[in-house]
Amino acid sequence: MKKLAMAILLLLAVNISFAQTLDELKAQKKLKKDSIAAIQSNLKAVQSKIDAWPGWKKGAFGTIGVSLSGFSSWYSKGTPNSNAGNIGVTLNGYANLTKETFFWRNAANINLSWVRIDDRDIDTDDNSFQAASDVFNISSLYGQKLSSKFAISALAEYRTTIIDNFNDPGYLDTGVGATWTPIPDLVVVVHPLNYNFVFSSGETIFESSLGAKIVADYSRKLGNINFKTNLSMFQSYKSSDFSNWTWTNGFGYTLWKVVGVGFDFGLRSNKQEALSYAIANAGATDPVPTFGTVDNKLQSYWLIGLNYSL
């Protein structure tokens, strides 16, 4: 009985000692977490001061997506012997100058992708890479500050394609108005006096007009995350048929050094482009499409792949 009692007492002593040690370790862990949280808070405060400091701020990030596939005697698909490939590249870049009395913001968005399908059972098929998405957009915004959040501004924005039909069509917006910057990363532009120049070769569909320009841009870098969204709208005073809008988004997460994963997508509505496409693809016996009859479908693109940041 004495030996049994001694064994029970020893076991209780070990358990009490272990519990005390575990509680001490948990207390140490809590202290270290509190210290890490305090350090992170201090770092964020310092970074916010750096971001708000006047001067040039430059950066770029984008996504590279590559997909290759091959099939041999895969009878469940329409082309059982075929090869396919998809290559896409996006770039979101900026160069912004901030001073006490004015700012100058410059941005570029490029999205290019190619698709290739080779049916090995058909010798005459086109197995070259064909353009899938083709977006080129650059803008420059100058503002003379009236206060910390409002400015009188002037904007120039150019949009076109560069793989196929460069500047055909091309769009150049130039105008003046006001810019609101409620927070450092958000810029809202409202220009009631804006002219939308449309460049096209021998087409009567595309027409320049006077209207209002609205732009909302939000760009943010949080640790390993890069994010940018941009909405650009033109409302024609002449006709809603000449109005258009484009919304582009880029997201990148850095996993190692400058490499990570990224996702880009965009939406667009442009009735002039829809009508031009409908006329070019109408059959000989089909009625000629017009602004009143054309189906102005929502345009879209997306890309997932490796991300890079500079």
Side-chain angles (χ1 to χ4, degrees), residues 69 92 134 147 171 185 219:
S69 61
N92 296 285
D134 192 354
S147 67
Y171 305 89
D185 304 306
S219 303

Side-chain angles (χ1 to χ4, degrees), residues 11-51:
L11 183 60
L12 290 173
V14 170
N15 287 337
I16 292 171
S17 175
F18 177 77
Q20 289 177 341
T21 303
L22 183 59
D23 290 339
E24 291 174 356
L25 290 174
K26 288 183 178 179
Q28 291 179 15
K29 181 181 178 180
K30 184 178 183 302
L31 288 174
K32 292 184 180 297
K33 281 187 174 181
D34 292 341
S35 299
I36 293 173
I39 293 172
Q40 290 177 339
S41 178
N42 291 334
L43 286 174
K44 288 181 180 180
V46 174
Q47 185 63 48
S48 65
K49 291 181 180 180
I50 293 174
D51 295 339

